[in-house]
Amino acid sequence: MTETLPQRERHEKPTLIYPFEAPPAVGRVLEVAPGVVWMRMPLPMALNHINIWGLEDDDGWAVVDTGMRTDETLAAWRELFATAAEQRPLTRIFGTHMHPDHIGMAGWLTRKFNCRLWMTQLEYLNCRVLTADTGREAPDDGVMFYRRAGWSSGAIENYQARFGNFGKRIHPLPESYRRIKDGEEIRIGANTWRVIVGTGHSPEHACLYCADLKLLISGDQVLPRISSNVSVHPTEPDADPMREWLESLAKLKREVPDDVLVLPSHNDCFRGLHARLDYLAASQERTLDRLRKTLREPRRAVDVFAALFGRSIDETDAGLLNLATGESLACLNYLMHRGEVLRALDDTGVARYQLA
């Protein structure tokens, strides 16, 4: 699954500073600060990479995120181990959140090095629940969810055929883990990192901030060139993740100074955190304004793609349709929770939204 939808904004973006000429090649490392290295893992999708971070620990290296469970990622990890200047073990694995490109190899790595997985509770437990869906038939609640959004029978058949794929990209997680919490300070080697939890993109996403090194490992909460997907899912159809995401952007601006080097999960390391946070929040407000104009007439969730993303979405692209529908519903629910929009079901169970 892809992680993000492309932004289609026409307004000027802030100028960010990218201090490194190029990312490390797959299977290689690049030092970004004393005791902190940047690695890249390949992804089998349009967003073709994820950044992994190595933090020098007392007896080896702690790793933040792991890549997706694929043969290519396995080969990249083995190359890293074979070419490392010092043959020191991994001491612990940190997972920023539960998505397969972040946590897919965690089970393999923790077993290989007999180390612990450090993760927030909701991310760990939700990942365990979703991987348990592998091999199950798509639930009726899921079918009703997408029918209500306006999906065709063909798109719903694709959903039923693809249901349970989440777990296929994740090695079985360890049966126990070390819970990390918002505000917790964790000593890793010579440095202290503070956990800053954000929500909206995932249930309890952990960023790591080191004041001494002036570094923020931002995961998917802040990306320099693309915006994080914020979606409503069939398991919680009335959720308001867009509010949570906007609140998380404001929280990061309050708690992290602007002079940090941001280490994101995708694209390149950058400086200009506060400008990027402001841009993301303002961009979302403009997107919601376009949605309000569209909802002067009744619209299904699948009818607002052009207003939100600047283009239509072909239902044959099942992964993109899923992301677009989830984010459309996040925007619609946001307005509905604020009393700006009303929802009505027709005789076929399809929902239409209109300004109140």
Side-chain angles (χ1 to χ4, degrees), residues 100-116:
D101 53 332
H102 297 261
I103 206 69
M105 298 295 289
W108 181 74
L109 290 169
T110 53
R111 291 178 179 91
K112 179 177 176 64
F113 290 96
N114 191 28
C115 62
R116 301 294 301 279

Side-chain angles (χ1 to χ4, degrees), residues 304-321:
V304 302
F305 293 162
L308 295 179
F309 314 122
R311 64 181 176 117
S312 60
I313 305 293
D314 192 327
E315 71 172 29
T316 60
D317 189 337
L320 191 57
L321 177 65

Side-chain angles (χ1 to χ4, degrees), residues 130-248:
L130 288 173
T131 54
D133 281 338
T134 305
R136 289 182 58 215
E137 290 188 2
D140 291 341
D141 281 8
V143 172
M144 286 184 357
F145 176 85
Y146 290 114
R147 181 174 293 126
R148 188 163 56 241
W151 280 22
S152 70
S153 58
I156 289 175
E157 287 174 4
N158 283 340
Y159 159 71
Q160 292 170 314
R162 295 171 65 248
F163 183 79
N165 282 350
F166 182 93
K168 295 178 181 179
R169 294 298 193 182
I170 298 177
H171 276 278
L173 291 182
E175 298 296 323
S176 66
Y177 75 111
R178 164 56 160 87
R179 181 182 178 184
I180 61 177
K181 301 178 182 179
D182 186 40
E184 180 179 2
E185 294 190 343
I186 301 170
R187 192 75 177 175
I188 304 174
N191 299 295
T192 297
W193 296 77
R194 180 157 58 88
V195 179
I196 301 176
V197 166
T199 53
H201 175 65
S202 64
E204 199 179 4
H205 182 298
C207 302
L208 296 174
Y209 166 54
C210 181
D212 290 338
L213 294 175
K214 296 184 178 180
L215 295 178
L216 173 69
I217 299 177
S218 66
D220 281 346
Q221 284 295 118
V222 187
L223 302 170
R225 297 192 179 102
I226 50 180
S227 61
S228 306
N229 178 254
V230 179
S231 281
V232 172
H233 302 287
T235 48
E236 194 180 356
D238 300 312
D240 190 7
M242 188 59 70
R243 173 189 59 79
E244 295 176 355
W245 188 67
L246 290 170
E247 289 176 352
S248 294

